[in-house]
Amino acid sequence: MSGPDAVYRLEDPFAFARAGGSRSGVIAIAAMPRLLDRVADTGGTVSYELRGRLDQRQRPLLELEVAGTAHMRCDRCLAPLDFLLKLASKVLIAEPGAAQPEDADDPETPEWIEAGQELDVLELVEDEILLGLPYSVRHGDGKCSDWSAEGGRGGKVSPFSALASLLDPEQTNKD
């Protein structure tokens, strides 16, 4: 394979893992189509490092680290929010149609994926980012652009602020 997509392909992921291969690069957010509906804009890039090795049981394993910033929108105030990505994962690779590893239910065992003679690194990085993003992205408490110090929108006190005081032990022991 040649062309720009060839940069993001591993020709033989099993040989890559056995040889202890390493590959790193930078990917534009705009190049990951499944991520586009989760970000506020397509600007920015992420860097990745992919390393291959064998696990303790001599199975091919890929270790992936992804770092960068995704430009998102706060779900509370809708203002821009830079979400820091610092992700790391390990995945066992198996031949297509291979049986699930016998220790797949063990929480200590890495996830596993089927891989053919080629592996799309771009797709692997995109999967890791999608799994690493929270369902709802928000600024920290009191950091939203239109939230006042009183805890409400536009200077108004939230009707739920009295409930929040129930969570503060100092407030509940004022009898």
Side-chain angles (χ1 to χ4, degrees):
M1 172 178 259
S2 63
D5 289 341
V7 174
Y8 301 119
R9 295 243 181 240
L10 280 180
E11 291 299 324
D12 185 350
F14 300 98
F16 179 82
R18 282 190 300 274
S22 179
R23 180 179 285 185
S24 60
V26 176
I27 301 174
I29 297 286
M32 296 180 267
R34 293 178 294 144
L35 190 58
L36 297 180
D37 67 338
R38 299 285 313 270
V39 295
D41 66 59
T42 59
T45 59
V46 295
S47 61
Y48 72 91
E49 185 171 350
L50 182 65
R51 292 178 303 278
R53 67 178 182 89
L54 298 176
D55 72 352
Q56 353 19 348
R57 299 174 72 188
Q58 301 303 303
R59 298 177 294 188
L61 179 78
L62 299 176
E63 296 175 332
L64 176 65
E65 292 180 10
V66 178
T69 303
H71 304 291
M72 305 187 81
R73 290 218 179 274
C74 173
D75 286 342
R76 186 182 295 142
C77 69
L78 301 179
L81 169 79
D82 285 344
F83 186 80
L84 181 65
L85 296 168
K86 185 140 178 79
L87 309 166
S89 69
K90 295 178 182 180
V91 291
L92 293 168
I93 52 176
E95 297 280 346
Q100 178 175 327
E102 60 277 357
D103 58 349
D105 293 333
D106 182 2
E108 299 297 317
T109 301
E111 297 293 323
W112 67 282
I113 60 172
E114 290 184 349
Q117 288 304 312
E118 286 188 347
L119 180 73
D120 188 343
V121 176
L122 178 66
E123 189 175 303
L124 192 64
V125 170
E126 187 178 24
D127 287 345
E128 184 64 23
I129 294 171
L130 286 168
L131 290 170
L133 289 176
Y135 181 72
S136 177
V137 180
R138 298 182 305 209
H139 288 105
D141 289 338
K143 305 278 190 217
C144 285
S145 60
D146 62 346
W147 282 66
S148 71
E150 291 86 32
R153 278 193 177 278
K156 298 177 185 174
V157 175
S158 168
F160 298 104
S161 60
L163 294 174
S165 69
L166 295 175
L167 296 175
D168 186 2
E170 293 177 15
Q171 294 289 331
T172 57
N173 295 330
K174 287 189 173 182
D175 292 343

